[in-house]
Amino acid sequence: MKTIRTVSVAVLCALNTISAFAVKTVEWNPAGSGGWADGSRWKDSSVPEAGDSVKVSGCTAVVDSVDFALAASMTEIVLVDEAVLAFDLDDTAAKHVFDTVKVSGSGTVLKDGGGTLVWGASGKQESYYKVPSPDKGFVVLEGEMAFTGNAGPVTVNAPGRIRPREDNNFSCYGLYGDGYVTNDVVNQFWFSGGSAASPATFSGKFLCKIDLTLYNGYQYLENAAAAPGANGDIRLWDGVVGVKSFGKCGAAGSLGGTKTIWCRGDPLTILYLGEGETTDHEFKFNTDSGEITLDAGANGAEVFNGNITASAGSSKM
């Protein structure tokens, strides 16, 4: 009996420990009022505490500067039925770091107001929004949003800005909008996403020197002066890349002024979207893994005056 009682007490202690650390799930009440610390904002008036999980269904949950610390202490925020997690931050000088909460589901994360929203650290925020549509994923309307790791579709509209977080690279599943991409140092941007029926279209500007890689999707750069003349490496891997202007070496263009554009066919199509121009960019094709197509476009002829070299395989113009 003593042995049984000893085991029973141990099991009881273990159960109590598990219960003490159990994650509570609370649900946003769209009919409520007030901020995250107000009971009426939550179904069953259950205000979340640090480490809890929040569910937002078919509505918009707003996080302002007052609510930010509580929202950033959650374990997970789940967005379902087209829900929106909207950050309306009014402190233009602040950096709001949101890097330990897992945000999952199929909704939208929206950034408004001033200041910088820092999203993700060491891969904490990964590809939770991989849907090829500009109304899902991340939308930046004002201020700045800094990313690390993989994001879903990102729409940045002027005057909004996006950038990688410090020394991190950043990739997104389709870049949309007419806003700005910037950075503190020369980071690598990876863009993919979109579809043949609905390409990802970006008409904004890169306000920085970048290493730009486009791959695996349909990404159109529709601004003829999107990238500065002093740019980093340009790598086009696979999928379809639409370019409004190749420009000249050292001058602004959709891809910037880097002399050499590195291309790898898996396969790859480079589609000219402009009205006619001459470029002196050098193209280096690695066609070991597939075909590369240079398409001069339907709206006007693109004249390629730079060197075009291929390592192997096949390419066509």
Side-chain angles (χ1 to χ4, degrees), residues 106-278:
S106 59
T108 299
V109 175
L110 185 144
K111 163 69 173 69
D112 206 351
T116 296
L117 177 61
V118 180
W119 190 269
S122 301
K124 291 288 185 182
Q125 302 291 0
E126 287 293 332
S127 307
Y128 297 123
Y129 299 96
K130 277 204 166 183
V131 284
S133 171
D135 60 350
K136 304 288 194 304
F138 297 89
V139 177
V140 181
L141 301 178
E142 191 175 355
E144 185 175 76
M145 193 162 179
F147 293 89
T148 187
N150 302 321
V154 174
T155 299
V156 53
N157 288 329
R161 304 181 306 278
I162 63 170
R163 65 171 175 84
R165 179 174 179 171
E166 285 89 32
D167 293 331
N168 289 282
N169 295 329
F170 162 53
S171 64
C172 67
Y173 196 68
L175 179 64
Y176 300 81
D178 60 359
Y180 306 100
V181 178
T182 187
N183 60 357
D184 297 325
V185 295
V186 181
N187 298 94
Q188 191 170 2
F189 292 78
W190 297 66
F191 298 130
S192 67
S195 65
S198 181
T201 56
F202 179 65
S203 58
K205 283 192 172 185
F206 299 95
L207 302 178
C208 53
K209 184 176 180 180
I210 60 169
D211 288 347
L212 179 63
T213 300
L214 296 105
Y215 70 104
N216 190 27
Y218 289 75
Q219 177 71 61
Y220 288 3
L221 301 175
E222 296 188 330
N223 189 335
N231 211 0
D233 291 335
I234 304 297
R235 288 172 290 270
L236 308 179
W237 280 17
D238 51 16
V240 177
V241 179
V243 178
K244 184 72 170 180
S245 172
F246 288 98
K248 296 289 185 70
C249 294
S254 298
L255 294 171
T258 300
K259 177 182 178 181
T260 303
I261 299 176
W262 304 87
C263 305
R264 188 185 77 179
D266 280 345
L268 168 70
T269 295
I270 306 171
L271 174 62
Y272 177 60
L273 304 174
E275 301 296 329
E277 66 169 356
T278 298

